[in-house]
Amino acid sequence: MELRGPYSYTKDQVRVLEELQEKLPSLDTPELTSIKRDRPRRARQLSPDQVEQLLAAYQSGATVYELGDRFGIERRTVSNILHRHGVPMRRRGLSPDQVDNAIHLYKLGWSLARVGDHLGVNHTTVLNKLRERGIPTRDTHGRPRVEADNLQ
């Protein structure tokens, strides 16, 4: 009787396992403990001339977003610089007519981001105004959002 099957060629299997074992690191080899990572970068510092340009541009009507893009810094950094120099911040927000327009566009199926881009404000500004007016909002998939109060 001849046996054939998965155990017929055990010599070949042992040879392959021994070759694989040779590729494994020795048990005496110390473990790698640290992974090389880039050091955190320091925030970009603006020169005094650039700060003056930023202040003048903001006072001329530029937004903190535009200035962040122009100077290669975060919007929050722009706000911090303005605050340090005592410049009063503008709150754009939305006028009542713009809120009405935002509601109309949102009910047509526009996303909060698209409405915000259209009106030149952040999507959270649009969301807050819709909530103030009691407009039901959709989730990211376009389905009506389930409010926490309705879950009971």
Side-chain angles (χ1 to χ4, degrees), residues 65-131:
Y65 295 97
E66 292 167 346
L67 294 172
D69 289 344
R70 185 183 311 170
F71 290 96
I73 57 178
E74 289 281 326
R75 171 206 49 90
R76 290 178 299 238
T77 305
V78 173
S79 298
N80 289 339
I81 291 169
L82 296 170
H83 181 73
R84 271 197 307 269
H85 288 85
V87 176
M89 299 294 293
R90 295 188 302 268
R91 296 274 182 215
R92 261 196 78 204
L94 295 172
S95 69
D97 287 340
Q98 287 177 312
V99 174
D100 292 339
N101 189 23
I103 292 169
H104 174 73
L105 295 173
Y106 187 74
K107 286 183 174 180
L108 287 176
W110 286 32
S111 68
L112 293 171
R114 185 175 176 200
V115 174
D117 287 344
H118 179 73
L119 297 172
V121 296
N122 192 284
H123 70 278
T124 55
T125 302
V126 176
L127 176 62
N128 291 334
K129 291 300 180 182
L130 293 179
R131 286 180 175 164

Side-chain angles (χ1 to χ4, degrees), residues 1-120:
M1 180 173 169
E2 184 179 21
L3 286 177
R4 292 244 168 205
Y7 303 109
S8 298
Y9 303 102
T10 57
K11 288 182 184 178
D12 289 339
Q13 293 172 345
V14 170
R15 184 182 46 77
V16 170
L17 285 172
E18 286 172 346
E19 289 174 4
L20 287 172
Q21 187 178 14
E22 288 175 15
K23 293 179 181 179
L24 292 172
S26 167
L27 295 175
D28 299 335
T29 305
E31 236 181 88
L32 296 176
T33 56
S34 64
I35 297 172
K36 273 227 170 204
R37 291 193 174 104
D38 291 337
R39 298 172 104 201
R41 294 191 183 125
R42 186 162 186 220
R44 185 167 186 277
Q45 300 292 314
L46 298 183
S47 70
D49 287 342
Q50 289 175 313
V51 171
E52 291 303 318
Q53 291 172 11
L54 184 144
L55 297 173
Y58 183 78
Q59 290 168 337
S60 296
T63 67
V64 291
Y65 295 97
E66 292 167 346
L67 294 172
D69 289 344
R70 185 183 311 170
F71 290 96
I73 57 178
E74 289 281 326
R75 171 206 49 90
R76 290 178 299 238
T77 305
V78 173
S79 298
N80 289 339
I81 291 169
L82 296 170
H83 181 73
R84 271 197 307 269
H85 288 85
V87 176
M89 299 294 293
R90 295 188 302 268
R91 296 274 182 215
R92 261 196 78 204
L94 295 172
S95 69
D97 287 340
Q98 287 177 312
V99 174
D100 292 339
N101 189 23
I103 292 169
H104 174 73
L105 295 173
Y106 187 74
K107 286 183 174 180
L108 287 176
W110 286 32
S111 68
L112 293 171
R114 185 175 176 200
V115 174
D117 287 344
H118 179 73
L119 297 172

